Amino acid sequence: MLCALLFLLLWIAAAWSAEPLYVVTTSTDLRSLVQVVGGERVQVESLAPPLHDPHALEVKTSQLSKIKRASLLVRVGLDHEPWLGRALRTLGDRRFVKDSPNYLDTSKGIQLLQAETPRIKADKGAHVHSFGNTHYWLDPENSKPITAVILEAVARLAPEERRYFEANRKRFLDQLDERLKLWLRAMVRLKGARVVTVHETWPYFAQRFGLVIVGVVEPTPGIPPSPSYLVSIIQQMRASGIRLLIAEPYSNASVVRQIAAQSGATAITLIPSVAGDPAASDYLSLFDLNIKRLSSAAGTAR
Ligand SMILES: [Zn+2]
């Protein structure tokens, strides 16, 4: 009996003193979701900073060495990270391919929006949503399938920790469900509000919270609008009384100001990724902040 107890204690000590799994993600949102599932058993870093135009990231040598060191690479997938393919080709590391235990594309299991929208094919590595809209983490409900595949991936690499990972995920989902009720309640008065967004970042968020996106400033995601397109979107906004224009922190500020001034809409900056603002330090607080900003903009945009 004593022997069995001693063995159990040694086993627990060995399991907990093991090196944490080193995970790299392509976004801070996935970093946050890997962290909630992996807890102390993972060390996780994002290759991309929170505020960057996904079209325009240049991979540095320091990031290549992080990928090389990683036991698991977690990505948004589709054509969200055109830079990642280049990085993986440079590395020539054969572990990061579909169905490898070291590679996870979290878009599997997601009901994609705009998958049928005809798009030009991604050329020159542009991020143009060719296969559907890639900003799916912005529907909080999608964190359920995302964390489900993360759980399977980390448990495959550290099977002895499966129960720990499962408990972590459950705790997160309980918190998420509680917060979702609050967010939906806060968004009731914006239900059906028609908005224009700069980039097509927000369709998942809009669908969950009842906003109606009637136009986008970038007619093709990631490609700046022509002057004549700008004139037409401003006219459309004036004609249909659009009161809210949703921008990102890296949107072209002068274009946003110009559209707001000429259309009469209130411009609001929402944060598209975790850590894009000090108040959005994790996945749940990202929504807390964006819902708060929308609620106060709704007060002024009447
Ligand atoms: Zn995009």
Side-chain angles (χ1 to χ4, degrees), residues 23 25-26 35 99 151 159 162 219-220 222 226 229 247 274:
V23 183
T25 63
T26 56
Q35 193 68 66
D99 298 326
L151 167 66
R162 175 176 278 277
T220 301
S226 66
Y229 181 83
V274 167

Side-chain angles (χ1 to χ4, degrees), residues 167-184:
N168 285 348
R169 177 169 182 260
K170 181 171 183 321
R171 195 177 320 117
F172 167 75
L173 295 184
D174 290 346
Q175 289 171 353
L176 178 87
D177 285 339
E178 281 308 305
R179 294 280 253 285
L180 191 54
K181 283 183 213 155
L182 300 178
W183 299 331
L184 287 167

Side-chain angles (χ1 to χ4, degrees), residues 142-173:
N142 279 344
S143 66
K144 295 176 180 175
I146 297 173
T147 52
V149 291
I150 289 172
L151 167 66
E152 289 310 314
V154 290
R156 196 168 164 189
L157 293 169
E160 69 284 1
E161 307 288 1
R162 175 176 278 277
R163 290 220 170 140
Y164 171 71
F165 297 143
E166 284 173 350
N168 285 348
R169 177 169 182 260
K170 181 171 183 321
R171 195 177 320 117
F172 167 75
L173 295 184

